[in-house]
Amino acid sequence: LINPDSLRAVQFSDFELNVQVEGQALPNEMFINLGNVQYRLSKDAPNRFSYRFVNVQKDVPFTLFGGGIESKDYTLQVLRKPSVAGFDVKLHFPEYTGRPDESLANVGDLVVPQGTQISWVFNVQNTEKLALRFGNDGVNEAKRFDDNLFSYNRRALKDETYKIFISNNLLPNADSVAYTVSIIPDLHPQIMVEEFKDSTNQRLTFFAGDASDDYGLNNLTFNYQVKKVKGGQLPMNTIKIEKQAGKQINYQYTWDIRNLELEPGDEISYYFEVFDNDAVNGSKSARTNVMQYRMPTLDEFRQQQAQNSEELKKELDKSLKESLKINEELKKLRDKVLQKKEMDWQTRKQMENLLQRQKQLQEQIEQAKNNFEQNNKQQEEFQQKTEDIAKKQEDLQKMFEESVSEEMKQLMEDIQKLLQEMNKDQMLEKMEEMQQNSEDLSKELDRMKELYKQLEVEQLQQQQIEQLEELAKKQEDLAKQTEENAKSDEDLKKEQDQLNKEMNEVAKKQEDLQKKNEDLKRPQKMDDQKQEMQDTQQDMKDAKQDLNQNQKKSASKKQKSAANKMKNMANKMKQNKASGEMEQMEEDIKMLRQLLENLVSLSFAQEQNMKDVSTSSVNTPHYVELAQQQYKIKDDFKVVEDSLHALASRNFKIETIVNDKVSDIKGSMKRSIEDLEERRVPAATTNQQSSMKSLNDLALMLSEIMQNMQQEMASGMPGSQSCQKPGKKSGEGQGKGGKEPKDKISKGQQSLNEQMKELKQRMEGQKGGSPGMSKEFAQMAAKQAAMRNALRELQKQKQQQGKGSQTLDQIMQDMDKVETDLVNKRLTNEMLKRQEEILTRLLEEERAEREREQDEQRQAQTAKQQPAKMPPALEEYLKKRRAEIEQFRTVSPALKPYYKQLVEEYLKGAGAN
């Protein structure tokens, strides 16, 4: 037997027994006796046999025999092998991840967030020592805390493999097993933002964005830095933005650049930055793209304004042409309907098409109004405006708002309903009404177009004056620096060259101003200063040449000469502007006076015709003559209408209500003619009376406009002064919005009451009155109408503020009754009593209004800057987007981290889209 005394096997392993037989008689077979079981040995050679013990687990006694040979007793001794029966892993995740601790059984390959604390507990057998080796590091022994238990702790910071080694005294490093630890790193946060500009204020910006991180966010900031046009950068400003909690957030921010007091040409760079809550490596950040805003220079702003002005004129011209086309087609269609017995399908479709075009026209006018309002706001941001220009802009804005009336919208809805009913008679009536409104709209658009062109010329003229004065100051300063040799030669040449370029631009704008002025229906007084411009440019050019030749004394002299010429041009433009306005106002006053005389004559003629019609028989030739006289009155008023339209097209003081009153007169006269032709005398006289009343109202309105213009002329036209807050003239300020004193209406009513009492006494003395009293009645009726209109405007303002008064409605109704009595020359004691009641209620209403104002003043507090509100459309868009994302989140089930991350990435993508 080979090595019969060293039979030792490792537990759980196989052991091979080799037997060699010596002697002359070799057995053919050998057997092993294991307890009571015998096994044949394998014959490897004539004298060699072998046997394999499989999976030895305990000591094995055995003997060998065969061919008459028998061995002694042997024992295969087993060496106990160290082993790991099992192990537990406890994972303590970093607190900032928000994940609860986990326990795993017999899991060696781990995927954990970076910074996770891992604790192993090994349950071993036949083991004296357990060690772990991570990567290429040294071996780390585990701590034994029980007979068969070892523990080891480690913080996972990177991907690595690790091996577990176990051993005992008999079997050092008996076995090992390898596993991996994979790290889930803390990702960088993500952030995106959308920028929305306010269409009416380019310096007001709204931001809406999303930010996310795999575990959470700490801070969200808005950062901006200003780069000055004169050189240099201001320090970075950081504003912390309040945010909601969570891994994914939506944020909004409103930024008003006006608070930064930027100068033209300054630039701002700005971005949002978000920081995550990484407690292992330190907080990481992510930024949005750097956005920029640059304040336009004054030249750039003026160029933009010029471009916007041209576009607005094109919009008005387009709207006017479309309005005229609609009016013409509507007239043809109405004539076509008149010739048919009933409306057919084709006529209905043509009318629907006209309604659609009218609706589109209203949308065009609305867009033009918004563009005009936006241009005005931009002007307020970049330059001061004179009171006169600011007032005209305000008047023009009001015209835009009144050009698309609610009456027209209601009329279109009524026509749409009648189209379904195919009612010819009612349709003809509505078509006639729409035709009249369309004609009025065309005239109003033509008026707005001409007034806007006039306003544009005045603004350009004011810009020319300001630029010349500004250039003159710069040229004077440069002349002083040249004379004192305060700057280097190169700087002097460079600045003079820049002034020369600016002067060339002023000269080009002067030519453009002349062309725009000549395009007006009534050009303003504007002298040709082409020669002065050329002389100034030549002086500046000569100054540049002298600087090139180092002749500073001569250059300074030319520079001063150029500056003086610029001042003279600016002063001359101011004088021409003032004198031209005065001459135009005198001309307008003269025309107004003539219009008033014509209106009074027409009112008397209408009154006389109304009396004659009421007493004439319809079957006499005289009645026909009266109808022809009514035609003549209507034709004579057409001359007044044309003159008034021409005046309104160049004078902002003619309010839209005047044109409305013209429409009322035309309608009443037209209806009265139709009634006369049909021999409907009562209806005819009613319409004639309405015409006379409207003529008197119109006369009073024009009289007040003329008086205001005369007062402006007498005061030297103070509206040409500059102001910081446009729209408020000197002497205004009583009440809110700079309107008339509140007691003016009551004083006017009191004066009218006294005038009526005096007239009644004279009528009683003269027993029926005299023919000259007709004019007094007309004047009193017009005065009462004017006060009623003033009350109506006051009530309209109160209603807009939510403070409408029922008392004012009742007063206006009583005033209307008084007007009717005055037109009919009725002056009774009951009427005088009603007048006293009107005055009493007026005084009570004014006293209550004063008390309310005093209460508001007592409660007044220091004004606070109110944050700009997000536009409703943008707010609704963001609300819908958030709702869609939240809908996805609410149905998300509890998932493993890997799948949760996939879901969150999907949601982020959905939010971005």
Side-chain angles (χ1 to χ4, degrees), residues 141-159:
E141 292 189 6
K143 182 180 179 181
R144 187 168 192 166
F145 63 94
D146 200 355
D147 291 342
N148 296 321
L149 297 176
F150 288 83
S151 66
Y152 184 78
N153 298 323
R154 185 176 179 88
R155 191 182 187 198
L157 297 174
K158 60 181 180 179
D159 291 343

Side-chain angles (χ1 to χ4, degrees), residues 480-521:
K480 184 178 180 181
Q481 292 171 357
T482 303
E483 187 177 17
E484 297 176 354
N485 202 17
K487 288 186 177 181
S488 65
D489 294 346
E490 288 300 322
D491 288 343
L492 292 174
K493 294 175 186 178
K494 184 177 179 180
E495 290 189 23
Q496 185 60 55
D497 187 57
Q498 179 62 31
L499 292 180
N500 291 356
K501 291 179 181 179
E502 293 181 17
M503 187 61 196
N504 293 336
E505 290 296 323
V506 171
K508 291 179 182 179
K509 290 179 181 178
Q510 184 68 20
E511 295 177 1
D512 182 56
L513 175 60
Q514 292 285 356
K515 292 179 181 178
K516 291 182 182 297
N517 185 51
E518 293 171 1
D519 189 46
L520 295 176
K521 292 181 180 179

Side-chain angles (χ1 to χ4, degrees), residues 398 402 655 657 787-800 812:
K398 186 178 180 181
E402 295 176 349
E655 297 184 4
I657 190 174
M787 285 184 285
R788 179 171 55 82
N789 290 331
L791 274 183
R792 182 177 59 189
E793 289 297 320
L794 179 61
Q795 178 73 323
K796 184 178 178 181
Q797 294 176 6
K798 286 178 172 291
Q799 289 173 345
Q800 291 175 351
M812 285 187 284

Side-chain angles (χ1 to χ4, degrees), residues 500-654:
N500 291 356
K501 291 179 181 179
E502 293 181 17
M503 187 61 196
N504 293 336
E505 290 296 323
V506 171
K508 291 179 182 179
K509 290 179 181 178
Q510 184 68 20
E511 295 177 1
D512 182 56
L513 175 60
Q514 292 285 356
K515 292 179 181 178
K516 291 182 182 297
N517 185 51
E518 293 171 1
D519 189 46
L520 295 176
K521 292 181 180 179
R522 185 178 67 171
Q524 299 182 13
K525 182 179 180 181
M526 194 176 296
D527 292 344
D528 187 1
Q529 294 184 325
K530 187 174 181 179
Q531 187 60 46
E532 289 90 336
M533 284 282 183
Q534 292 177 351
D535 293 343
T536 305
Q537 288 175 293
Q538 187 61 45
D539 283 346
M540 298 174 75
K541 184 178 179 181
D542 293 342
K544 175 70 182 304
Q545 292 178 351
D546 291 340
L547 288 173
N548 290 334
Q549 297 172 5
N550 202 23
Q551 297 177 1
K552 294 185 178 180
K553 185 175 181 180
S554 176
S556 176
K557 184 177 179 181
K558 296 288 178 60
Q559 290 169 334
K560 291 179 180 179
S561 175
N564 290 331
K565 289 178 180 178
M566 290 182 210
K567 289 181 180 179
N568 292 335
M569 281 191 290
N571 291 332
K572 189 175 181 181
M573 289 180 70
K574 286 182 180 179
Q575 294 172 1
N576 288 339
K577 184 173 182 292
S579 62
E581 290 176 353
M582 192 70 70
E583 291 176 4
Q584 290 180 1
M585 192 172 291
E586 290 178 355
E587 182 182 342
D588 291 344
I589 291 175
K590 183 177 179 181
M591 179 176 284
L592 277 172
R593 189 176 291 113
Q594 183 62 46
L595 284 172
L596 282 172
E597 293 177 1
N598 293 339
L599 285 172
V600 172
S601 299
L602 285 173
S603 177
F604 287 144
Q606 184 66 79
E607 180 183 12
Q608 187 61 47
N609 186 266
M610 179 183 65
K611 289 181 178 179
D612 294 342
V613 166
S614 62
T615 58
S616 176
S617 174
V618 297
N619 297 320
T620 61
H622 182 59
Y623 182 86
V624 177
E625 292 177 359
L626 293 176
Q628 292 174 348
Q629 288 180 7
Q630 185 63 50
Y631 266 108
K632 184 177 183 303
I633 294 173
K634 178 176 177 293
D635 293 338
D636 290 343
F637 182 74
K638 183 68 171 62
V639 177
V640 174
E641 179 190 2
D642 294 340
S643 300
L644 185 59
H645 179 68
L647 178 62
S649 296
R650 62 176 186 257
N651 195 313
F652 283 86
K653 295 178 177 61
I654 308 298

Side-chain angles (χ1 to χ4, degrees), residues 33 222 348 414 485 604 726 761 798 869 884 895 900:
N33 186 14
F222 177 70
R348 172 182 169 180
D414 294 341
N485 202 17
F604 287 144
Q761 291 175 358
K798 286 178 172 291
K869 293 184 178 179
E884 290 175 357
L895 301 172
K900 283 185 178 179

Side-chain angles (χ1 to χ4, degrees), residues 645-744:
H645 179 68
L647 178 62
S649 296
R650 62 176 186 257
N651 195 313
F652 283 86
K653 295 178 177 61
I654 308 298
E655 297 184 4
T656 305
I657 190 174
V658 172
N659 294 329
D660 293 341
K661 188 63 67 175
V662 170
S663 299
D664 293 342
I665 296 172
K666 289 169 59 181
S668 299
M669 288 185 175
K670 183 178 180 180
R671 289 190 295 272
S672 64
I673 291 174
E674 293 174 352
D675 292 334
L676 289 173
E677 291 176 344
E678 298 295 330
R679 303 299 196 267
R680 297 191 293 263
V681 174
T685 54
T686 300
N687 284 313
Q688 288 174 327
Q689 180 178 339
S690 176
S691 300
M692 184 178 65
K693 178 178 178 297
S694 298
L695 284 168
N696 293 336
D697 290 347
L698 180 59
L700 183 62
M701 292 177 189
L702 296 182
S703 176
E704 289 185 350
I705 292 173
M706 186 176 68
Q707 290 176 7
N708 292 335
M709 293 170 65
Q710 290 172 336
Q711 290 175 0
E712 283 190 22
M713 289 187 64
S715 61
M717 302 180 68
S720 61
Q721 304 295 325
S722 298
C723 67
Q724 293 290 343
K725 295 182 179 179
K728 189 175 182 181
K729 293 186 180 181
S730 173
E732 289 182 351
Q734 300 91 338
K736 298 179 181 179
K739 57 180 179 283
E740 297 286 344
K742 293 184 174 62
D743 58 353
K744 183 176 181 179

